[in-house]
Amino acid sequence: MTSTIALLGHPVSHSISPRFQQAALDALGIDARYEAWDTPPEDLPSALERLRSRDLLGANVTVPLKQEALRLIDRPDALAERIGAVNTIVNAGGVLEATNTDVAGVLRSLEDGGVDLAGANVVLIGAGGAARAIVVAMREGGAARVTIANRTAARARALVPLGGEDLELRVIPLDHASEQLRAAMQSARLVVQATSLGMRDGPDEDASPLPAELFHAGQAALDIVYVPEQTPFLRAARQGGALPLGGLSMLVHQGAESFRRWTGQPPPLDVMFDAARAALDETS
Ligand code: NAP
């Protein structure tokens, strides 16, 4: 019997996850199909019911369903609860278990980029769903302080409870001219761009939330946006002397962790990266 793994989101047609997940399944000879199921929010309960069938191994969950899926799932793990969102569901004999592999995705991509988080000061731009996973990842990775700048300050303040004894969280305005942002950038070993600015078909494809002059050499700059591969933020970071890190690595690593949970097998990372890059090249 051919098994199925679903991608639940709305819209999902632009996603490159089916490309690199199917390549990984095929490379390991696993008889399964990874299918994108376009799921408007009102159809999420019925899509989750379908996931309980014997031939379904599980699912990925993407925008805008990650938070609502947490509410509806049988057994979310502690990480998903802390972040307030799930991105991976495993069908365990009709019981739906869920976790969030975005944290592992960020940590592995930073490891690949040679970034040491231990004791680091970090600037995080953005405070949406992905930013929540970034904050939890910074805590897991041993960062000392995360300074969050977001267009809507109230949304940034909602992230503060994710900090703790070991991780200080501060909120400052997203204002290039502000001394607070300048000082935070000066002491930051890592800057993470987690807004949808710069994303193709997003709110502003040509905008970077930070200008080149705020970056410096010896600093790493991760843009979690991965379409296009070269974003305005990454261009500004490179121009300012920082090490630019694109979001494709985070995407593939979070998918690889999901793959491990559905199949119980080590993910073929090289195959996944090659397929993801080929899929991106076709869109550019
Ligand atoms: P979200 O929950 O909708 O949050 C969007 C964020 O972008 C908020 O901080 C929002 O600020 C900010 N924003 C939107 N338009 C803006 C504008 N015109 N000016 C300034 N800020 C603006 O989205 P999300 O789920 O966090 O995703 C954010 C991005 O990350 C997306 O591009 C997504 O594709 C990418 N992502 C990548 C990965 C990966 O694996 N690489 C994983 C997850 C997400 P306000 O709070 O002020 O609205």
Side-chain angles (χ1 to χ4, degrees), residues 40-51:
E42 62 274 20
D43 293 345
L44 181 60
S46 58
L48 292 177
E49 274 316 302
R50 272 176 81 190
L51 288 184

Side-chain angles (χ1 to χ4, degrees), residues 126-130 150-152 155 194-196 199 203 224-225 247 250-251:
N150 190 50
R151 179 180 59 177
T152 309
R155 226 169 156 200
T195 75
S196 36
M199 186 175 75
I224 72 163
V225 169
M250 173 182 166
L251 179 79

Side-chain angles (χ1 to χ4, degrees), residues 9 12 56 62 68 70 94 135 152 198:
V12 281
L56 263 296
T62 186
E68 183 62 4
L70 173 72
V135 170
T152 309

